[in-house]
Amino acid sequence: MIRLTFSLTYFLISIIIFVIEILIATVFSNIFFVRAYLGDVIVVMLLFTLVKSFLIIKNNHILILGIFLFSCLVEWTQYFHIAEKMGLPPGSIMYVIVGNSFSWIDIACYAAGCLLLLLLVPKK
């Protein structure tokens, strides 16, 4: 069962992770490992905390699986260059969010982030 809620704790964690993601994209953009891999590992954690900020979902493992599948779907759209087909200007915020290049390594990073979540959060 899914119910609406507001969790200040998860929301504040989401803000912290979002700031980290912004720092990765800007300040630490020259550090290859951080920019190429760590950001993708952390983004699934951002999605998890953001969902938990507004929804009560009893089974965290199902939520984590859903986030992984969603991340793979977004990555797959990059294979088909959806951002360009949508007419999004390169460099725009939406273009960056949607992404522009498919990578199996990104999917591996999403999986790593989801596995970390599975280890860190209880099932219920």
Side-chain angles (χ1 to χ4, degrees):
M1 173 182 261
I2 298 173
R3 293 188 321 227
L4 288 175
T5 189
F6 179 73
S7 170
L8 181 60
T9 302
Y10 277 114
F11 188 70
L12 292 174
I13 294 169
S14 297
I15 291 172
I16 291 167
I17 296 172
F18 183 70
V19 168
I20 291 169
E21 288 284 4
I22 290 171
L23 290 173
I24 287 172
T26 57
V27 176
F28 301 112
S29 64
N30 293 331
I31 303 172
F32 179 75
F33 175 81
V34 173
R35 178 73 170 112
Y37 306 120
L38 191 58
D40 288 338
V41 171
I42 294 173
V43 77
V44 294
M45 296 176 184
L46 173 60
L47 292 173
F48 177 83
T49 57
L50 198 56
V51 169
K52 294 292 277 185
S53 295
F54 299 103
L55 298 175
I56 295 174
I57 299 175
K58 297 242 179 195
N59 190 326
N60 286 329
H61 291 179
I62 296 295
L63 174 57
I64 293 167
L65 175 63
I67 288 170
F68 177 70
L69 294 174
F70 174 77
S71 301
C72 290
L73 176 66
V74 170
E75 191 68 27
W76 189 250
T77 65
Q78 293 175 12
Y79 179 80
F80 295 104
H81 305 285
I82 296 298
E84 293 168 6
K85 291 180 180 169
M86 290 172 61
L88 300 174
S92 68
I93 291 174
M94 282 307 297
Y95 189 88
V96 172
I97 290 171
V98 173
N100 58 357
S101 63
F102 174 84
S103 171
W104 287 107
I105 294 172
D106 288 353
I107 291 176
C109 290
Y110 302 145
C114 287
L115 287 173
L116 282 171
L117 280 171
L118 287 172
L119 294 172
L120 295 173
V121 299
K123 184 176 181 179
K124 293 189 178 196

